[in-house]
Amino acid sequence: MTMTPDRWRGTCDYLGDVFGRPDPFMATLMPRARAAGLPDIAISADVGRLLLLLTRTTRARRALELGTLAGYSGIWIARGLAAGGRLITIEADPKHAAFARQAFADAGVSDRVTLRDGKALEVLPAIARELGPASLDVVFFDALKHEYEAYFEATVDLIAPGGLLLADNALGSRWWITDPPGDPSRDAVDRFNRRIASDDRFDTACVPIREGVLIARRKG
Ligand code: SAH
Ligand code: MG
């Protein structure tokens, strides 16, 4: 059986219907964010369940997210943390950060989530010093796509053996990965994908749900 455009559309609908069941709180979060003027670019509920599952699988005590937006993906990750676990999430836009702080409170995960204001590449050195090497069980990239390679440089030593590096938009955004080169974000994500896929320190796969989720596990 081969994939056809119709089958792909149907598959995406199926994934959303069967595996993307949001709970009542999560179902209202992005509509509220949109009404507050935030962009509607969060992950979907099926990707959220994947993040929760992967976080839980690592029994994560320390997680890091780049690109908070409204807190949607962060809440899924926070729900997957082990007891006593913590998520640090970095957001550059103060309006998004303010909305997300309230969302974390509303979701009952404020005690587990620390939102750091600022640009990821500016904030990461201080976080790296605080946390130290091999301290993170889950890292999720979802801020600027053309910075994914720089995020990798800044976080790779923080990932514990057995820890996961996850990246949203590994296959698409306003571009698609199979487009000809030319879009700076597409080209940067393509370089990032190829680089981590050939990095012997990681076992890596990419799941083609929504806009693609890269899953890389640090060996050891
Ligand atoms: N992870 C979120 C969506 C993030 S959208 C979810 O799925 O629910 C990308 C976010 O990254 C936006 O909120 C944007 O303001 C933020 N952002 C943009 N540039 C950034 C940077 N340099 N550092 C940190 N966040 C950034
Ligand atoms: Mg994304």
Side-chain angles (χ1 to χ4, degrees):
M1 203 67 106
T2 51
M3 188 59 84
T4 61
D6 271 356
R7 223 171 247 152
W8 176 251
R9 267 189 297 278
T11 302
C12 294
D13 291 345
Y14 181 87
L15 290 171
D17 290 346
V18 177
F19 298 101
R21 181 176 35 88
D23 61 53
F25 177 81
M26 293 308 261
T28 63
L29 181 56
M30 289 316 297
R32 285 197 291 117
R34 201 164 47 235
L38 275 65
D40 195 9
I41 54 173
I43 57 161
S44 49
D46 53 340
V47 175
R49 288 187 180 280
L50 178 65
L51 296 183
L52 184 151
L53 173 70
L54 292 168
T55 304
R56 199 156 269 167
T57 302
T58 66
R59 299 183 166 80
R61 295 188 43 82
R62 290 287 176 276
L64 173 69
E65 173 181 65
L66 314 185
T68 317
L69 186 61
Y72 186 87
S73 54
I75 292 167
W76 286 109
I77 295 169
R79 288 175 171 180
L81 291 168
R86 298 199 62 81
L87 167 70
I88 298 172
T89 180
I90 306 174
E91 174 54 53
D93 186 317
K95 183 175 165 182
H96 300 178
F99 186 97
R101 280 200 172 87
Q102 187 60 50
F104 293 135
D106 295 343
V109 297
S110 289
D111 57 332
R112 277 173 271 170
V113 180
T114 306
L115 198 160
R116 300 282 283 255
D117 297 88
K119 296 191 164 85
L121 292 177
E122 292 174 8
V123 176
L124 276 170
I127 292 175
R129 278 193 300 276
E130 281 166 37
L131 295 175
S135 53
L136 290 170
D137 308 299
V138 172
V139 178
F140 178 52
F141 293 176
D142 199 16
L144 297 175
K145 310 312 156 193
H146 65 268
E147 291 187 346
Y148 273 21
E149 288 176 291
Y151 298 159
F152 181 66
E153 300 281 349
T155 59
V156 66
D157 291 337
L158 303 179
I159 302 170
L164 298 178
L165 169 51
L166 312 172
D168 191 36
N169 305 101
L171 295 178
S173 177
R174 275 160 297 183
W175 40 269
W176 204 256
I177 202 72
T178 51
D179 292 346
D183 182 290
S185 294
R186 191 218 76 90
D187 298 353
V189 170
D190 183 41
R191 284 195 306 273
F192 166 74
N193 285 342
R194 290 173 190 277
R195 179 163 166 194
I196 190 148
S198 61
D199 189 320
D200 289 336
R201 296 170 294 180
F202 289 89
D203 292 310
T204 303
C206 184
V207 184
I209 65 174
R210 191 175 163 268
E211 294 174 337
V213 182
L214 180 134
I215 305 171
R217 179 184 180 274
R218 185 143 193 164
K219 292 177 185 169

